[in-house]
């Protein structure tokens, strides 16, 4: 029988406690057309100059998995927006 691996194949450190990283996850499809699905990660508790403004990051997929660094990020610059919920 197959077993679930206990070793992660990808890690992400959000860099801020309480950011809520991973509260929401979604496939972005393949916006760069390389044949691999990309992933959006929501961080609704992110404080980037405004309390709980939130943030969304896009990680590119590849044959070896997700990239280590987001290729796109967005923040609304509005306190309490919880962008990425």
């Amino acid at each position: 029988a197959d077993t679930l691996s206990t070793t992660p194949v990808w890690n992400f450190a959000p860099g801020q406690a309480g950011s809520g990283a991973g509260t929401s996850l979604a496939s972005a499809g393949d916006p760069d057309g390389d044949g691999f699905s990309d992933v959006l990660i929501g961080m609704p508790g992110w404080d980037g100059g405004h309390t709980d403004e939130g943030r969304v990051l896009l990680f590119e997929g590849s044959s070896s998995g997700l990239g280590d660094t987001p290729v796109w990020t967005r923040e609304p610059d509005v306190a309490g927006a919880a962008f990425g919920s």
Side-chain angles (χ1 to χ4, degrees), residues 17-78:
S19 67
T23 297
S24 60
L25 302 168
S27 171
D30 185 18
D32 56 4
D34 65 358
F36 299 97
S37 292
D38 302 334
V39 174
L40 292 161
I41 297 179
M43 302 169 62
W46 177 262
D47 299 332
H50 302 278
T51 302
D52 294 337
E53 67 179 289
R55 185 180 212 191
V56 173
L57 300 93
L58 175 69
F59 289 86
E60 287 182 322
S62 72
S63 62
S64 60
L66 293 176
D68 294 329
T69 305
V71 295
W72 176 91
T73 62
R74 287 296 178 268
E75 299 170 22
D77 297 327
V78 175

